[in-house]
Amino acid sequence: GGRGGGGQSPTTTAQSSAMGRVERRDVDIGGGDAQRPMEAVEEEGTTKTQWQCVAGLVVAVQKTLKFLRHKEVWSIILGQYFQSWGLWGLLSWMPDFFHEFYGVDKEDWIFATGPYVIQGICGMLSGAAADLLISRWKVRTLRVRQVLQVVSMIGPAVFLMLAVLDVREKFVGSLYVGIGTGLSALSLGGVSVVQLDVAPQNAGFVFSLGNTAAIFAGLLAVPISGKLLDVAQTWWEDPAEGEKNRWKIVMLLFAVHYAVGAFFVCRPVWR
């Protein structure tokens, strides 16, 4: 028999019924929230997010206080802080130092950038040296970190003072500063990676503590040394003599920070 033109097949009827159920189910998603004003829902979500932030902050503070009870963490924090005093100070004042102390034109970029080229090369070599000492020569890992870090702080302290006390010519001064910055790169095999040895499961967090201290060092080193440069020049009657001696005082300040940092790292805190 024939079919009526307006009739629907059972398949079509079932699909329409299923679609209706899907549409009704979509309307019901969210339960009671679907009937609440959007502003109320957004306010509740904002409040929940704020409490989550507060809870996260509390957990972070608790975790920080927990780690600060360990002397190894303090060694990393202090090492990063004192190391970064000279790093940020030299990075900011290097062109002015060579211009005023050695009479180098600021266009002679090699004197200001050359030491950092040496530093980059020594930084790459420091990692290879550390791995060689640990893997082939079987030196204890933490001892390697400690020795490299101490050298990376005592070395710059000595050669920065030579740059202002053993005054000969600009090339010698640049060599002194270059050796100092090169030795400072040994810290890449020291305090920059020691958290992987003492706290492998929380190395990123411990590094963030030390790196925060390094940032504070930069925030203090640049303005304090700049103020000292302005004030110290007035301590001598001869302006030319004052201009020379003020750089000696600033370099001494950097050297003292390096030496104090080496003292904290040299203590048996990584054993």
Side-chain angles (χ1 to χ4, degrees), residues 6-147:
Q8 294 180 336
S9 68
T11 303
T12 304
T13 303
Q15 290 175 344
S16 300
S17 177
M19 183 62 70
R21 287 197 301 272
V22 171
E23 290 174 354
R24 287 193 296 273
R25 186 164 63 247
D26 289 344
V27 171
D28 291 340
I29 288 177
D33 284 346
Q35 307 300 323
R36 296 170 59 194
M38 183 60 68
E39 292 79 3
V41 176
E42 291 179 349
E43 182 178 356
E44 180 179 331
T46 302
T47 303
K48 184 183 294 186
T49 302
Q50 290 174 345
W51 280 112
Q52 289 173 343
C53 291
V54 172
L57 181 61
V58 171
V59 172
V61 171
Q62 291 175 339
K63 187 174 183 179
T64 300
L65 294 176
K66 175 183 177 181
F67 276 89
L68 290 179
R69 292 199 296 265
H70 297 277
K71 57 186 179 180
E72 295 89 351
V73 174
W74 276 108
S75 179
I76 293 171
I77 291 174
L78 293 174
Q80 290 272 36
Y81 175 82
F82 287 106
Q83 180 84 29
S84 296
W85 249 87
L87 171 67
W88 295 116
L90 287 174
L91 191 63
S92 300
W93 299 114
M94 186 85 75
D96 292 321
F97 167 70
F98 278 107
H99 176 66
E100 297 180 5
F101 196 85
Y102 283 102
V104 175
D105 292 333
K106 290 188 176 181
E107 290 75 15
D108 292 339
W109 54 269
I110 189 64
F111 291 95
T113 60
Y116 291 104
V117 174
I118 298 174
Q119 186 182 51
I121 296 172
C122 291
M124 291 186 291
L125 295 176
S126 66
D131 292 342
L132 183 65
L133 289 170
I134 294 170
S135 62
R136 181 171 297 183
W137 292 1
K138 306 303 179 183
V139 181
R140 195 161 58 94
T141 301
L142 295 182
R143 179 62 64 195
V144 172
R145 307 296 186 212
Q146 192 176 47
V147 170

Side-chain angles (χ1 to χ4, degrees), residues 42 60 91 100 158 167 170 188 210 213-214 220 242 253 259:
E42 291 179 349
L91 191 63
E100 297 180 5
V158 171
V167 182
K170 57 186 179 182
L188 296 177
L220 294 175
L253 178 64

